[in-house]
Amino acid sequence: FTVSQGQGYRDNQSPGVSVFPDPAQSPFVNLQLNQPLLRGFGSDVALAEVRLARNLERTSIYQLKQSLLATTTDAERAYWNLALARQNLQIQQRLLERGVETRDILANRRVFDVRPAEYADAVATVERRKGNVIRAVNALRNASDELKSIINDPELTTGGEALLVPADAPVDEPITFSLLDALTAAIDNRPELQRALLNIQDASIRRQVADSLRLPLLDLTAQARFQGLNEDLGEAYEDITEAQFVDLLAGIRFEQPIGNRAGEAQYRQRQLELMQASVDYRAAVQRIVLEVKRALRQVETNYKLIEQSRTARLAATENVRTLQVLERTTQALSPDFLDLKFRRQESLANAELEEAQALINYQIALAELVAATGTALERNGIRFVVPEAAEPSP
């Protein structure tokens, strides 16, 4: 339904031609109704663009939620990588201190039974450990900058030299889980699936419109034109209100393309798009199921590795302690014994690092599990509020 209004002015200056009134004001109001009876009939077709626009808004919301989930997971992963880098630095520093102590013992025995090659080997070992400490410091600063770039705190810019220190210690408490509950939570909360469902809905709306376009064109048209004519503009508008000059027009427009190949081809295209959207949804479900199962396995595996690496670290600690006891005897101060001490120090440091790595991997696996189920925002106390106006009507 359309309403249009206009105004004309005519002033005849032609010699020998007389018109009345002259000059003349001719305003008009035009009312027109166009009603499709076949092609394009119904509210489903008329409101298709409105529904598509609403779905586009919801898609943008789910895209934002997906970005928030990814950012949250990246922040957790960067935090625990920072914690691991700090523990690695502490382990390398302790290893360097043990190496310096052993090197000094060899230096004091150079006049007795330590050959120059054995002392040089000790010096090389200490220098190599110093290099490891330098690399650990660099890795710690890189991990700190990576976390600062994610949290984007204006007071802790990546250009500054402030070093972030993790405040939380990794926990090694087991969790109980249900594969069915995890999969249900993922299907309910993952924004990728919600977007895939919207794609199916959009494809269905477009197919419905394309189905309507296959029908013949049969439109009913009704028009009423109210016109005024007078020298005075106000009186001309009074002619309109009094309906002095009214034109009525009614008509039917019919059109049937021969073969209608364009309409049929477009409908076939929309059918294929709907099938593709359905396939994409199934693929998204399968991908999310795989991510959830893999995340659960990672949690279980990394928790088992914590106990295994801790047992290995305790055994390596006992080896070093045994050497410290034997070191009190004269026989224990031989160059071969000190070389063995070097190697067992390395084994202890590696065991400590493996235990720290297992603990950190467990924390990251937990973060990736809640990310796979789509509940990372709730777990971290982040409220994602969608305005009511963005929700679709039933």
Side-chain angles (χ1 to χ4, degrees):
F1 181 76
T2 59
V3 178
S4 59
Q5 188 271 337
Q7 178 182 335
Y9 175 77
R10 184 182 61 192
D11 186 5
N12 180 37
Q13 300 292 335
S14 301
V17 178
S18 176
V19 295
F20 180 82
D22 187 26
Q25 301 281 354
S26 56
F28 68 89
V29 174
N30 194 56
L31 309 178
Q32 184 170 341
L33 172 66
N34 294 320
Q35 176 58 54
L37 301 179
L38 290 177
R39 184 190 302 174
F41 176 78
S43 60
D44 291 338
V45 178
L47 298 178
E49 293 298 328
V50 176
R51 295 191 176 98
L52 290 174
R54 183 184 294 121
N55 287 348
L56 181 60
E57 179 188 14
R58 296 172 64 193
T59 298
S60 300
I61 292 173
Y62 290 130
Q63 287 177 341
L64 174 60
K65 184 177 181 180
Q66 186 175 351
S67 298
L68 289 176
L69 287 171
T71 302
T72 302
T73 305
D74 291 342
E76 288 193 75
R77 188 182 294 110
Y79 178 87
W80 292 117
N81 286 334
L82 174 64
L84 178 61
R86 188 167 185 266
Q87 292 189 33
N88 179 49
L89 175 59
Q90 294 172 346
I91 292 171
Q92 297 301 329
Q93 287 174 337
R94 289 196 300 267
L95 182 60
L96 175 60
E97 292 172 359
R98 298 188 186 107
V100 170
E101 180 183 357
T102 304
R103 182 202 61 186
D104 293 342
I105 293 175
L106 289 175
N108 294 333
R109 294 183 60 85
R110 291 176 66 184
V111 296
F112 296 104
D113 55 355
V114 175
R115 294 187 296 271
E118 294 171 339
Y119 178 72
D121 183 65
V123 172
T125 300
V126 171
E127 294 303 320
R128 185 178 69 252
R129 292 180 181 181
K130 287 182 180 179
N132 291 336
V133 170
I134 294 174
R135 282 188 285 269
V137 171
N138 181 62
L140 178 61
R141 292 196 173 276
N142 289 337
S144 176
D145 289 341
E146 179 68 22
L147 181 58
K148 286 193 290 186
S149 67
I150 294 177
I151 62 178
N152 197 27
D153 190 337
E155 297 181 0
L156 294 171
T157 62
T158 55
E161 292 301 323
L163 185 65
L164 298 180
V165 177
D168 297 331
V171 297
D172 58 352
E173 295 295 329
I175 64 168
T176 57
F177 58 84
S178 167
L179 177 60
L180 179 60
D181 292 341
L183 294 177
T184 302
I187 293 175
D188 292 339
N189 295 288
R190 287 289 291 267
E192 299 95 322
L193 288 183
Q194 306 298 329
R195 291 172 55 191
L197 287 174
L198 288 177
N199 290 337
I200 293 177
Q201 187 175 354
D202 289 346
S204 179
I205 293 173
R206 293 189 178 97
R207 187 189 66 169
Q208 191 173 21
V209 174
D211 187 26
S212 176
L213 294 178
R214 295 192 300 168
L215 298 173
L217 177 67
L218 182 61
D219 292 350
L220 173 64
T221 301
Q223 179 177 336
R225 183 182 181 91
F226 298 84
Q227 191 163 348
L229 183 63
N230 203 295
E231 294 181 359
D232 182 71
L233 183 61
E235 293 181 359
Y237 272 102
E238 288 181 3
D239 292 342
I240 294 178
T241 58
E242 296 174 358
Q244 293 291 331
F245 307 99
V246 180
D247 294 331
L248 300 177
L249 177 65
I252 292 181
R253 180 187 175 191
F254 178 79
E255 177 184 299
Q256 174 60 51
I258 298 175
N260 199 19
R261 287 185 291 272
E264 294 293 340
Q266 186 175 9
Y267 178 73
R268 180 59 178 167
Q269 178 183 355
R270 299 308 184 191
Q271 278 188 318
L272 295 175
E273 290 176 356
L274 179 58
M275 294 172 59
Q276 181 64 50
S278 301
V279 171
D280 291 342
Y281 176 78
R282 289 195 296 267
V285 171
Q286 292 177 354
R287 183 174 60 255
I288 289 175
V289 169
L290 180 62
E291 290 179 5
V292 172
K293 293 182 68 176
R294 183 184 293 117
L296 289 173
R297 291 195 190 101
Q298 285 293 106
V299 169
E300 183 179 6
T301 300
N302 288 317
Y303 182 74
K304 292 179 180 178
L305 288 175
I306 292 175
E307 185 63 26
Q308 178 272 328
S309 60
R310 180 169 297 157
T311 302
R313 190 259 304 169
L314 292 175
T317 303
E318 182 64 21
N319 284 336
V320 173
R321 190 191 66 82
T322 302
L323 289 180
Q324 290 174 347
V325 174
L326 293 176
E327 194 174 4
R328 298 172 185 174
T329 65
T330 305
Q331 183 181 1
L333 295 178
S334 65
D336 292 337
F337 173 81
L338 294 176
D339 178 69
L340 177 62
K341 186 177 180 181
F342 268 132
R343 287 186 279 111
R344 289 193 176 178
Q345 288 173 357
E346 298 278 355
S347 298
L348 176 58
N350 292 333
E352 290 175 340
L353 184 58
E354 287 179 1
E355 182 184 11
Q357 183 72 64
L359 282 167
I360 296 303
N361 287 343
Y362 182 62
Q363 314 307 312
I364 295 177
L366 291 176
E368 291 177 348
L369 175 59
V370 295
T373 58
T375 58
L377 299 182
E378 293 81 359
R379 177 175 178 265
N380 290 280
I382 301 173
R383 297 179 65 245
F384 185 77
V385 180
V386 179
E388 292 294 331
E391 292 296 327
S393 58

